Each structure stands twice: as C-alpha cells, then as structure tokens.
Amino acid sequence: MSRDRTVDALRAYAIGGVVLGHWLVTGLVLTGDGGLHQASPLTALPALAPVTWVLQTLGLFFFTAGFGSARSLAGHRGGPGGWLAGRLRRLLLPTVALLGVGAAVLLAATVAGTPDDTLTVALRLAISPLWFLLPLVFLIAVTGALRTAVRRWGLGRCVVPAVVVVAAADLAVRLLPAGSHLPPVSVVAAWSVPYLLGVAHADGRLAGRRAAGTLAAGGVVALTALLAVGYPVSAVGVPGAGVSNLNPPSLLAVALAVTQVGLGLLARPALERLLVRPLPGRAVAEVNRCAFRIYLCHQPVLVGVTALTARGGLALPGLHTVPDDPGWVLARFCWLPLLAAVLVTVVRTGQPRSRRQPGGGGVAGRSAECVASAPQVYDHQRSGPPDLQEVIAVRDSDPPSRGRADGQPR
C-alpha cells in the first residue's frame, strides 16, 4: 500500500512537538554542589500554559500509530501473530538498546563521581518517556479487533465507552483523597480515542472536509466546556498543581487530541502542496524513518548536554539557571539548535545507510511517496534482445520524467 503523506506530516509534527515541548518545559538547575535538579517554567510563568496545546501532541502520535497499524495489518500477507511480532520488535529492540546504553552511561557517571541529584534526574528523564509503551503495545495488539469493531458498530459507538471511562477516572481523581492511585485503565482508554480515529481514517471513514471539520469543531466545543467547569489550562503536568491533564490523561487531553486530528485533516491540501517540495518532503520522510529513535533519545540528549556543560561550574542562562522569567525561555530557544544538532548526531549513529533513489530520498524518500508506479514502460530498443533493453519506469506524478521518457524512440 502507498503511504499517506498527510499522516506522515502529522507524525513528524507530533514527534517535533513532543521533543520541543519537553526541551522547553524541562529546566535543569545547577546547584551549589554541582548537581542538577528539575524545575518547570510553567510553575513561575502560568501564562505559557496555552502554548502546551500546540506542543502536547500525543494525540496525533496515537492517531498516526493507529493509522499505520491498520494499514500495515491490512497489507500483511501472513497471520496476525507474525505481524504483531514484527510490529513489537520495531518498538522493543530500540527500547532495550536505549536502556542498555543508558545503564552503561549511568555506571560510568557514577564512577566519575557525578552528584546523586544529577544521576536521579538523568534516570527519571530517560525512563519517563517509556510510559507510552504500555498503552501503545496494548492498542497495537488489539488493532484487528478495533478494525472489526469500527466496521461493525461505527466509530462513534466505539469511542463513547472510552470517553465514559476517562470521565469516570476524572471524577474519581477529584473525589478520592490526595495520593490515591488509580489503575492505568484510563491511560489506555484516553489514548484509544485518537488511535481509533487513526484506524477509522485508514479505513476511509474520515475522508473529506466534513468529517475533519466535525472533529475539529467538536473538539473545540469540548475544550471550551471543560475549561469552563474548572479543568486546568495546561495540557501537561505542572509541578505543585493538584490536578494534571496528562497524568492520568483527562477529558481535556482527549478533547485536545480530537481537535488536533480534525485540524490536521483539514490541513491536508496545504500539507500536500508543502510536501511536493523536495526539502520538506525529505525532512518529513527522514523524521518518520527515525521517529521512535528521536522520541527515545531526546531527553537523554538534554540531560547529557546540560550535565557536560555544567562540569565547568558556570551556570549558563537558559541551561542551568532557574526558569522563572521570560528571559530563561528566550535563552533556552538559543540552546535549541545545539540540542537539535546533538540529537541528529545521536539518532544517525548506527543507522544503516539507505540506497539513494533517482527521486533523491532513498528509503526515507520512498517511504513518503503516496503514488503508485505507472503501468507503462518505455524502452530505447523495443526490437532488441530482452536482456539488453534499457527501461525507464515513469511515475504519473513526475511530469518531467515522463517527458524525458516520451522523447525516447519507442
């Protein structure tokens, strides 16, 4: 099956939003003994909370995961067991590699005399992004059942029970004493909503602007109503706040995910025009090819760069200082190019080199294509021996190539 360029673009945006969001809301403050402790600019700058609506893109992440899993399962020729094993292998092998490398680095840092505060922060930030594996692995395992349910009962009847579970969890969080622990069922239920939207989109049920507009408008109405009844404005957790919209995910997180999916689908024409250009198309394809490695490595990169620059004992603005004013945010933006360069280097380390294709994208470029090869084949010597014929395969979406091929003698 061909790939959907719009979904690829939304996946790239989702990964970029998670990385940028974590790098902007995670402050690592240098203490007097040379250690690092974690702080958040959202605590001192609550006016930044609406920005988290743009950067908290986990809903789009699960939407694209549902779309990709449903497409992959539909095109798999073997049994569902083999498909699931291959799907999980792509998730678990990089995770095990990250944990192994992280353990070795922590051991070396301990031997080198790194302060305990820094080790604790590094361990917490390296492991915390792995929480999503629980709901994602479960949803991937039941993708076949979800496809069947959506086809039999419709998308609405499948989404409503999940929303009811999340609403019940929200009510329990507010009624139960502080510190009470709830089972993680609401985590699976909340993120199953955008995952189901992805499954339905792969089945062609969200095609057209009417469906996308309905999702966007419904999400906006839900967000407005939830804020009116007292839900926190920030889409991510704020240290010291009594209630979080992300841990566990609340109805506001679900409404935000639905809104982002609707807006993303409404932007399909603009995204398709953008991805026709070589540079954006290759960038999106490369991010999709390395999406999981980017997700796993972005927090260790932040800790590593901050800890290494702290060895000099000088607190650098935006990197080691307290995130309590807009100047810290501006300074942190100045550090983003360095963090991005280190992340790209880490992600590319050990990656297999892909074969370049005439289109200029290799494996990555080919993954972003959503057009089929043209059925016609031109040869420069139709009457010659078959083993000496030179053929040119032409894509319908490549008029310059087709023109060059048409100029060949037939």
Side-chain angles (χ1 to χ4, degrees):
M1 286 188 176
S2 59
R3 294 180 66 96
D4 188 311
R5 282 187 165 184
T6 301
V7 175
D8 280 351
L10 294 179
R11 185 183 292 108
Y13 171 74
I15 295 298
V18 169
V19 172
L20 184 60
H22 281 163
W23 284 353
L24 289 177
V25 303
T26 305
L28 299 175
V29 182
L30 183 64
T31 60
D33 60 355
L36 297 172
H37 72 86
Q38 188 174 346
S40 174
L42 294 175
T43 303
L45 303 171
L48 297 178
V51 179
T52 61
W53 293 13
V54 180
L55 299 179
Q56 200 284 82
T57 53
L58 286 170
L60 288 177
F61 183 87
F62 279 92
F63 168 75
T64 57
F67 178 90
S69 296
R71 275 285 187 94
S72 176
L73 180 59
H76 186 69
R77 296 182 179 180
W83 171 82
L84 180 60
R87 206 75 177 171
L88 295 182
R89 184 165 55 249
R90 294 173 57 187
L91 290 174
L92 299 181
L93 287 182
T95 303
V96 173
L98 171 71
L99 294 177
V101 173
V105 171
L106 286 177
L107 178 60
T110 303
V111 174
T114 303
D116 292 341
D117 290 345
T118 302
L119 294 176
T120 301
V121 169
L123 183 61
R124 180 170 61 249
L125 292 181
I127 294 180
S128 60
L130 300 181
W131 68 265
F132 85 104
L133 282 175
L134 173 64
L136 183 59
V137 167
F138 175 81
L139 291 171
I140 289 176
V142 298
T143 298
L146 294 178
R147 290 180 67 233
T148 302
V150 169
R151 290 180 175 183
R152 179 175 300 177
W153 296 309
L155 178 60
R157 293 183 181 180
C158 295
V159 166
V160 168
V163 174
V164 170
V165 171
V166 177
D170 285 0
L171 185 62
V173 167
R174 286 158 175 77
L175 296 180
L176 293 177
S180 300
H181 296 285
L182 297 175
V185 62
S186 62
V187 177
V188 177
W191 301 121
S192 69
V193 174
Y195 193 89
L196 280 166
L197 293 178
V199 171
H201 184 51
D203 204 28
R205 294 176 177 268
L206 297 182
R209 297 183 62 84
R210 181 176 181 180
T214 300
L215 289 176
V220 169
V221 171
L223 285 173
T224 304
L226 293 171
L227 291 175
V229 298
Y231 274 71
V233 177
S234 175
V236 301
V238 178
V243 179
S244 169
N245 280 318
L246 198 56
N247 185 27
S250 68
L251 283 176
L252 188 137
V254 176
L256 178 61
V258 173
T259 304
Q260 290 175 341
V261 171
L263 293 176
L265 295 179
L266 282 175
R268 172 182 289 275
L271 292 175
E272 289 180 344
R273 289 193 299 269
L274 177 65
L275 295 179
V276 169
R277 302 177 181 178
L279 183 58
R282 291 181 184 179
V284 166
E286 187 67 19
V287 170
N288 274 266
R289 189 170 72 93
C290 306
F292 193 50
R293 290 172 62 90
I294 293 173
Y295 182 87
L296 291 178
C297 296
H298 75 281
Q299 288 288 62
V301 163
L302 173 62
V303 177
V305 170
T306 307
L308 288 176
T309 53
R311 302 287 291 183
L314 180 64
L316 300 175
L319 204 59
H320 308 121
T321 53
V322 179
D324 57 356
D325 57 41
W328 182 92
V329 179
L330 180 61
R332 175 53 65 93
F333 269 104
C334 296
W335 287 105
L336 292 181
L338 173 62
L339 295 173
V342 175
L343 179 60
V344 170
T345 303
V346 171
V347 169
R348 287 186 173 180
T349 301
Q351 282 286 95
R353 296 181 65 85
S354 58
R355 271 189 314 119
R356 288 287 178 182
Q357 299 294 323
V363 173
R366 187 168 64 253
S367 68
E369 294 291 343
C370 61
V371 295
S373 298
Q376 292 181 322
V377 177
Y378 299 87
D379 64 80
H380 80 293
Q381 193 175 6
R382 180 176 293 272
S383 60
D387 58 329
L388 296 179
Q389 288 184 353
E390 177 184 355
V391 297
I392 302 176
V394 183
R395 297 183 312 201
D396 288 339
S397 63
D398 190 1
S401 296
R402 186 166 61 248
R404 290 192 300 271
D406 285 338
Q408 299 286 345
R410 303 188 181 182

